[in-house]
Amino acid sequence: MAGMTDPNRIWTEAADRLKAEIGDGPFSSYIAPSAVRVDSQGNLILVTPTAYARDWVRKNALRRMNELWLGLDGLSRRLEVRCRAEMGSVPPASASREAPRLSSISAAPAAAPTAPAFAPATDGARAVRAAGLQERLTFDSFVEGHGNAFALAIAKQVASWADGHFNPVFFCGPYGYGKTHLLNAIAWEAQRLRPDAKVVYLTAERFLSTFVRAMQDRSTAAFKESLRSADMLLLDDVQFVGGKTSTQEELLNTLTALIEDGKRIVLSADRAPVALTDVEPRLRSHLAAGLTCPVEAADRDLKVAVAQSRLNALAKLGVVSGEARADVLEHLVDRTPGSMRELEGAVNTLAAVAGSRLSTLTVDEVQTLLGAALRTGPERRITVDEIQKTVAEHFNLKQADLLSERRTRAIARPRQIAMYLCKQHTTRSYPDIGRRFGGRDHTTVLHGVRKIEELMPKDDQIARDVEALTRKLRG
């Protein structure tokens, strides 16, 4: 079957294989009602009937779907996923010939402008390049909190095209805490304020794949022009260009050209530029030359606010009605200690299960309904003792060291990490955690937790330690 080019034939074959792998139930609910379409830039899109189905596909099936698709498609294209509301009027894939290779970032011809079907209606002849942009990720839907207030203020300044800006602006922080949301929001707002500007948003993965394809097709000149003619370039997840020499060289040249022309550049990565050790020093220097803006891990209050905001959005879509009780939201947050994306998935699951019953659900009912979906449900409850033992082993310490009065850095920092993990993975209060750490005051625990939240976006080693320990605790 390999080597086919008709998207409909490829989809039929890939869908049959996927159905055999995931089963009739999930396939009938989420995949069967969907269809492959082509947007105005020639990108192949799997269109789902609802936003909830789109989110489920992204989380559970998209990676495997693309593996099957790439194994069948003679043109080596990839599928993206959008819901019907995001797409507007988009023709079936069969209505398109071969997708243009560079359409996702090439400039629209001035004489015959073609805006993406899911771009804002106000876009002009040089419309926002919306490949990868999500319509719901705007400033209006971004929830502000202690850890992201500075990043949000900078993002709004960039989007306003204000003079006296830093260039480039580099957002960094843990996975799933709002960097992509901020870049999307900047792109939409910048285009709204200047409809004739060329705003280009790309993930590093798309930058890589498009550049490689341009070299294969001997169309690198068009690739370079499509980027260097941008008024604003937003590049997400820059850490993924590390170790790829030719791509880093091209990115360096692009950034240099744009900066010299006074164009705006916004970047993001999971760590600060100085910590991108796989990135070539000259490029790393350019990335760090403007403003490095941390997006810090969310505290509990912010997570609760995000959960409430997501439920409000789902209510507007008719997925759920009523408001969740405060203790239900807090329970959901406490049982979802990972990133904001994972929290959003838990909220989506709650909404799908609850429907019109949302306002009457109790904590016990939520635990019964979602126990298997929540990480630290009754089947797998992480204890303070387990965290202490795991952290001590990781840092070659004794558990007693963490409970002792010793304050050397070699012990104090692991102790703070253990306190942070206790707050993330258990329901223990600050005073209770303090008692379990040698009778310490709750303010000591609070300081330790906040210290780790503050250091994770800045200190790559601490971020790796926390990530490794989290994986161990989750089994």
Side-chain angles (χ1 to χ4, degrees), residues 139 154-162 185-191 193-194 232 264:
F139 286 128
I154 293 299
K156 288 182 175 180
Q157 180 182 354
V158 173
S160 70
W161 302 94
I186 291 170
W188 290 125
E189 180 67 5
Q191 194 70 69
L193 293 175
R194 287 183 53 184
M232 179 182 290
R264 313 295 174 99

Side-chain angles (χ1 to χ4, degrees), residues 390-463:
T390 303
V391 171
E393 180 183 357
H394 181 81
F395 289 102
N396 295 317
L397 300 171
K398 297 177 181 178
Q399 186 176 357
D401 291 331
L402 301 179
L403 279 59
S404 72
E405 293 297 322
R406 297 171 61 188
R407 298 182 181 180
T408 61
R409 186 179 183 85
I411 294 176
R413 191 68 80 220
R415 182 187 292 132
Q416 290 176 331
I417 290 175
M419 291 175 174
Y420 169 82
L421 292 170
C422 286
K423 196 57 191 169
Q424 291 292 313
H425 295 280
T426 77
T427 58
R428 301 285 184 180
S429 65
Y430 286 114
D432 197 10
I433 293 172
R435 286 190 291 270
R436 300 295 296 274
F437 278 81
R440 284 175 164 78
D441 187 81
H442 76 279
T443 57
T444 302
V445 180
L446 178 61
H447 170 75
V449 171
R450 288 182 174 173
K451 187 64 177 179
I452 298 305
E453 290 176 344
E454 174 189 334
L455 289 175
M456 282 175 61
K458 306 174 184 177
D459 191 316
D460 189 47
Q461 184 58 54
I462 287 180

Side-chain angles (χ1 to χ4, degrees), residues 30 50 52-53 56 311 314 318-321 344-358 361 369-370:
Y30 301 106
T50 65
Y52 181 73
W56 187 94
L311 282 175
L314 292 172
V319 177
V320 68
S321 59
E344 186 172 293
V347 174
N348 290 341
T349 304
L350 173 65
V353 171
S356 60
R357 297 177 52 216
L358 179 63
L361 284 181
L369 291 170
L370 304 183

Side-chain angles (χ1 to χ4, degrees), residues 319-401:
V319 177
V320 68
S321 59
E323 293 191 4
R325 291 169 36 168
D327 58 342
V328 166
L329 287 181
E330 291 169 359
H331 177 79
L332 201 66
V333 166
D334 291 338
R335 290 297 187 273
T336 314
S339 71
M340 291 296 204
R341 290 193 181 99
E342 292 171 348
L343 175 59
E344 186 172 293
V347 174
N348 290 341
T349 304
L350 173 65
V353 171
S356 60
R357 297 177 52 216
L358 179 63
S359 59
T360 63
L361 284 181
T362 66
V363 169
D364 289 341
E365 287 176 313
V366 170
Q367 185 59 60
T368 299
L369 291 170
L370 304 183
L374 299 180
R375 256 190 202 140
T376 53
E379 297 88 353
R380 177 73 175 94
R381 188 177 297 277
I382 299 173
T383 66
V384 172
D385 184 67
E386 181 183 359
I387 291 172
Q388 290 174 344
K389 289 178 179 177
T390 303
V391 171
E393 180 183 357
H394 181 81
F395 289 102
N396 295 317
L397 300 171
K398 297 177 181 178
Q399 186 176 357
D401 291 331

Side-chain angles (χ1 to χ4, degrees), residues 16 28 46 59 62 91 126 136 138 197 202 208 235 241 320 355:
D16 285 344
S28 299
L46 179 68
K59 182 177 181 180
L62 185 59
R126 305 175 72 192
R136 68 184 181 87
T138 65
L202 285 172
L208 287 166
L235 190 61
V241 304
V320 68

